[in-house]
Amino acid sequence: MSNLREIQSRINSVRDTMKITNAMYMIASSKLRKAKKSLKNTEPYFYTLQDAIAKVIKQIPEDISLIYFNGKPKAADEKKKGYIVITGDKGLAGAYNHNVMKIAEGELKKEGDPVFFLIGQVGRNYFETKGIPYDTAFQYTVQNPTIRRARVISGRILQMYREQKLDEVYIIYTRMIHSMECRAEMKKLLPLEKADFQEKEESGGLNRQTNYLPTPYDVFKNIIPNYITGFLYGTLVQAYSSEQNSRMLAMESATRNARDMLKSLSVTYNRVRQAAITQEITEVISGAKLLKRRKS
Amino acid sequence: MDTFALKIIAINKVFYEGNAKQLIFSAVDGLVGIMAHHEDAVIAVNVGEVKIQTAEDRWVIAISGAGHIQIDRNHVVMMVDTVEYPEEIDEQRALEAKERAEEQLRREQSLYEYAISKACLIRAIERLKIKKKYSAR
């Protein structure tokens, strides 16, 4: 059995680790609360805009909407694909990063020469150690997503899309289904699918005589980047919430494990101490007995 | 004066929801005013000042980002990326952003970067303008 001091130092180190995991749990839960609030705030914009696009695409001339919707008619293996991969900036969040990378890995195996846009330090490290090329000009963090950042990202993606450097853009991120479940998902960002913009039944569509000012093209040019920016902001917030949620759960279970460990360690400690005491007493008694016997 | 239902939604919040008598905003080709029973239209919105005359005759003033507005049978929905009150604008930050954008514009850069810097500059200038206009009172 190990000696007392070893167990004591083990107990101390576990206790220190537990303090850290507990603090991280606290931090993650307060960040999660903030993230959840901003997640809720993005919803009205997103749904209204989706509905608005549904109304507009019916009336916009085909040649304008075509580039954003159907994409160029090209053979499937000739299409240049881009992937936006959102991971965390650090680990310590259970399987959060792993699940995202697993999807990215699967896409990597497919034919073609995909371009990867990485958001988050973990993904960057992963690609670097594996020696997989990625777009290095794309340096954004995932901490505290802002609209400004989403706007810069969407501007860049749309630019490349319009210049036909990219034909299809996908986004791999983690969606928060409810507070206990997050799932890594891949979604198509561009070209847009007309099927995604189904009008709600009751809205009834726009009037035939609706004017587009100054031109339908200008209107459309304003709507699409806004939609992409809103979408990206939404996914960034989703991913950020999921990360905090995963970290919170991971740290909670780490703290729980540390507590269990402390319990069993302190039992061992007491046993070892008791054994040492018993041994000492036995030695004293047997020594005393020996002396007594010798006297008589 | 008749009113119309107005909703202004930004990416991160619902800015205004209720009845209004008048709405003035800057479109791509100049200022546009909307009153009740405006003809149905979809208009592209630029960065700039937004003025709302509420049903109680109060004027709400804000600055909006780019987006569009839909007018459909007296229901007006404005969708833009950001909306702020003048008092929410941080003058120092806007000034810094303006200087940063100007500096970037002076440097040689790609067409794409030029477009981004220019958009940043326009946003910063609009912010400062509106901040100045309404903090003087």
Side-chain angles (χ1 to χ4, degrees):
Chain A
M1 215 177 253
S2 41
N3 69 35
L4 278 178
R5 188 169 302 165
E6 270 172 22
I7 299 175
Q8 185 68 57
S9 78
R10 183 89 201 278
I11 288 178
N12 284 340
S13 84
V14 171
R15 192 171 290 146
D16 287 346
T17 314
M18 192 176 88
K19 271 183 201 156
I20 296 170
T21 55
N22 201 26
M24 285 183 75
Y25 167 77
M26 238 85 106
I27 294 167
S29 68
S30 85
K31 278 186 180 164
L32 176 66
R33 206 171 313 129
K34 217 175 99 195
K36 260 189 185 163
K37 209 178 137 224
S38 47
L39 184 63
K40 216 172 153 219
N41 288 344
T42 60
E43 272 168 12
Y45 178 81
F46 192 71
Y47 290 124
T48 327
L49 193 54
Q50 216 163 28
D51 198 43
I53 293 177
K55 285 181 191 165
V56 170
I57 49 172
K58 275 194 197 156
Q59 299 189 353
I60 292 270
E62 275 274 299
D63 53 321
I64 292 172
S65 64
L66 200 66
I67 50 163
Y68 290 113
F69 279 95
N70 302 335
K72 304 276 164 323
K74 255 189 192 178
D77 51 337
E78 268 177 29
K79 278 187 176 160
K80 271 173 253 140
K81 288 181 182 171
Y83 294 92
I84 303 173
V85 183
I86 305 179
T87 59
D89 270 347
K90 58 181 173 200
L92 299 169
Y96 171 74
N97 291 310
H98 182 74
N99 287 341
V100 170
M101 293 320 292
K102 215 159 65 184
I103 297 182
E105 188 97 299
E107 292 302 313
L108 206 59
K109 286 198 189 99
K110 284 186 190 162
E111 292 284 304
D113 192 18
V115 189
F116 280 87
F117 303 96
L118 306 175
I119 305 175
Q121 202 52 47
V122 172
R124 239 168 268 146
N125 289 345
Y126 181 89
F127 274 66
E128 229 140 69
T129 38
K130 289 242 169 178
I132 307 162
Y134 63 92
D135 191 310
T136 44
F138 211 76
Q139 299 274 7
Y140 303 103
T141 65
V142 284
Q143 297 296 315
N144 297 322
T146 58
I147 295 169
R148 210 192 93 81
R149 200 178 301 142
R151 191 155 50 204
V152 174
I153 295 171
S154 79
R156 199 178 147 74
I157 296 293
L158 279 171
Q159 171 83 7
M160 288 181 84
Y161 181 77
R162 274 194 294 258
E163 285 172 0
Q164 297 184 28
K165 283 181 190 153
L166 293 173
D167 294 312
E168 278 177 0
V169 183
Y170 296 90
I171 185 161
I172 303 173
Y173 72 109
T174 313
R175 193 162 72 94
M176 198 147 152
I177 296 166
H178 48 81
S179 58
M180 281 296 127
E181 201 186 345
C182 302
R183 194 179 298 148
E185 273 186 358
M186 190 168 83
K187 270 214 175 126
K188 196 177 194 180
L189 191 62
L190 281 168
L192 302 169
E193 295 284 349
K194 270 195 178 150
D196 285 348
F197 302 102
Q198 289 301 334
E199 230 176 307
K200 276 182 262 159
E201 292 276 330
E202 68 269 26
S203 61
L206 283 181
N207 195 330
R208 278 261 154 244
Q209 272 85 46
T210 300
N211 275 331
Y212 288 86
L213 299 168
T215 61
Y217 176 72
D218 280 307
V219 173
F220 214 65
K221 214 176 70 188
N222 258 18
I223 294 177
I224 295 302
N226 258 22
Y227 177 74
I228 303 286
T229 307
F231 191 90
L232 272 171
Y233 180 73
T235 51
L236 282 174
V237 173
Q238 287 261 9
Y240 186 64
S241 311
S242 310
E243 185 192 348
Q244 297 307 336
N245 195 35
S246 311
R247 179 157 303 134
M248 200 178 93
L249 293 178
M251 288 303 127
E252 194 184 14
S253 72
T255 311
R256 203 184 317 116
N257 288 345
R259 206 167 281 141
D260 290 349
M261 222 155 144
L262 277 181
K263 210 187 252 167
S264 76
L265 274 176
S266 78
V267 168
T268 326
Y269 178 79
N270 288 341
R271 270 201 197 125
V272 171
R273 196 186 59 175
Q274 195 54 54
I277 293 169
T278 317
Q279 198 184 345
E280 267 171 40
I281 290 175
T282 329
E283 276 164 17
V284 169
I285 291 174
S286 60
K289 248 184 193 165
L290 206 69
L291 278 178
K292 218 182 197 174
R293 206 175 291 157
R294 211 174 272 173
K295 263 184 197 163
S296 62
Chain B
M1 202 149 77
D2 280 352
T3 59
F4 58 93
L6 173 65
K7 211 170 172 186
I8 299 183
I9 306 175
I11 290 180
N12 55 359
K13 64 189 167 205
V14 177
F15 178 81
Y16 186 92
E17 193 169 7
N19 288 331
K21 286 181 177 167
Q22 213 180 144
L23 169 73
I24 301 168
F25 63 92
S26 57
V28 176
D29 48 358
L31 285 181
V32 172
I34 291 175
M35 293 169 95
H37 313 299
H38 192 285
E39 69 164 343
D40 290 352
V42 177
I43 308 170
V45 177
N46 233 2
V47 182
E49 193 181 345
V50 176
K51 283 183 177 178
I52 308 156
Q53 188 183 13
T54 63
E56 298 85 39
D57 270 335
R58 206 163 46 84
W59 281 94
V60 177
I61 284 137
I63 170 159
S64 81
H68 80 291
I69 193 165
Q70 276 190 359
I71 306 159
D72 184 19
R73 278 157 278 180
N74 224 21
H75 285 264
V76 179
V77 184
M78 185 171 180
M79 277 161 275
V80 284
D81 51 3
T82 53
V83 197
E84 291 168 304
Y85 288 112
E87 51 268 30
E88 279 175 343
I89 298 170
D90 186 341
E91 196 167 355
Q92 200 58 43
R93 233 192 82 199
L95 211 63
E96 274 166 23
K98 183 178 165 233
E99 277 163 13
R100 203 166 47 233
E102 280 171 343
E103 198 171 301
Q104 273 164 2
L105 278 177
R106 249 175 266 138
R107 261 187 280 144
E108 273 189 51
Q109 49 190 356
S110 68
L111 205 63
Y112 160 69
E113 282 165 334
Y114 177 80
I116 289 262
S117 308
K118 209 170 134 195
C120 285
L121 184 61
I122 291 170
R123 260 198 300 278
I125 289 174
E126 277 298 325
R127 280 218 172 91
L128 283 173
K129 205 167 82 191
I130 287 164
K131 179 83 185 171
K132 258 196 209 111
K133 201 164 153 192
Y134 293 101
S135 59
R137 290 189 204 158

